[in-house]
Amino acid sequence: MKTTMIEIAALLVLLLVISNFRRLLKLRIVQIAFGGFLKDVGAQALAKQPDTIRLSSQPGHQWTNVAAVNKLAEPLLARGFTDLGPYSIDVMPQVTLRFLVSPAVSVYACIYEHAKAGVWLDLVSRYTDGTGATFTTVRSTGMDERPQDKIVRAPNASADMLFGRMLVERPQRPLVPLDAAEVIRLFEAVYAEQMLWRKTRGISAREVGNVAAAPRV
């Protein structure tokens, strides 16, 4: 899933676990009546998620929907981003990532392609105080987010529009300098950080119900 990046493991598995119950879980009365069961579903899904991930460069990767990936990447390249190419996640074979970075403004882009969920974009800045800002084309997942992080969701925004909004709306605090190596390190580190937060905090019955009712990516 940041949000999408740090939610991605828990959310995708949670969606699979509750997929057979989506219609029922949309009903508030069911969420109330079976709150303990729903909480257990969330806990079991979350417990299956790895605490850490490792990225590997995948030169020559063949995208399933290359047009959609390029539609998100090309406006950013025109804005001065450097293409870092495709990467895989060791424990998530269904996901491929394409990273781009703009050291001048301390923003990195992550374009996701998931076998079932499709293609989406995160733009991320990290701050020296350990917080972050993510502007994403993903709709709300229904899961709570770390209160210290700024998350802006714009499902219908183009990559260029999303980047423009980020430059204007992200918090003005000291930023972590970025280069290619730092982007990969940060992605792995933030996943671990966010997964620790989510496992420590847990997933509530309300969140499971929200995920069931939320639209897909």
Side-chain angles (χ1 to χ4, degrees), residues 3 51 126 129 177 211:
T3 125
D51 295 329
R126 295 291 296 179
D129 63 2
V211 170

Coordinates of all heavy atoms in Angstrom, one line a residue, residues 3 51 126 129 177 211:
T3 N 0.9 4.9 0.8 CA -0.4 4.3 1.0 C -0.6 3.2 0.0 O -0.7 2.1 0.5 CB -1.5 5.3 0.9 OG1 -2.4 5.0 -0.1 CG2 -1.0 6.6 0.6
D51 N 7.2 -9.1 6.3 CA 7.6 -7.9 7.0 C 8.5 -7.0 6.1 O 8.5 -5.8 6.3 CB 8.3 -8.2 8.3 CG 7.4 -8.9 9.3 OD1 6.2 -8.6 9.3 OD2 7.9 -9.7 10.1
R126 N 9.6 12.0 0.3 CA 9.9 11.6 1.7 C 10.6 12.8 2.4 O 11.4 13.5 1.8 CB 10.7 10.4 1.8 CG 10.1 9.1 1.3 CD 8.9 8.6 2.1 NE 9.4 8.2 3.4 CZ 8.5 7.8 4.4 NH1 7.2 7.8 4.2 NH2 9.0 7.4 5.6
D129 N 12.1 14.1 8.5 CA 11.5 13.8 9.8 C 10.8 12.4 9.8 O 10.2 12.0 10.7 CB 10.5 14.8 10.2 CG 9.3 15.0 9.3 OD1 9.2 14.2 8.3 OD2 8.4 15.8 9.5
P177 N 16.9 13.9 -0.1 CA 17.4 13.9 -1.5 C 17.3 12.5 -2.2 O 17.4 11.5 -1.5 CB 18.9 14.3 -1.3 CG 19.0 14.9 0.1 CD 17.9 14.2 0.9
V211 N -13.2 -2.1 2.9 CA -12.5 -2.6 1.8 C -13.5 -3.4 0.9 O -13.4 -3.3 -0.3 CB -11.3 -3.6 2.2 CG1 -10.8 -4.4 1.1 CG2 -10.2 -2.8 2.9

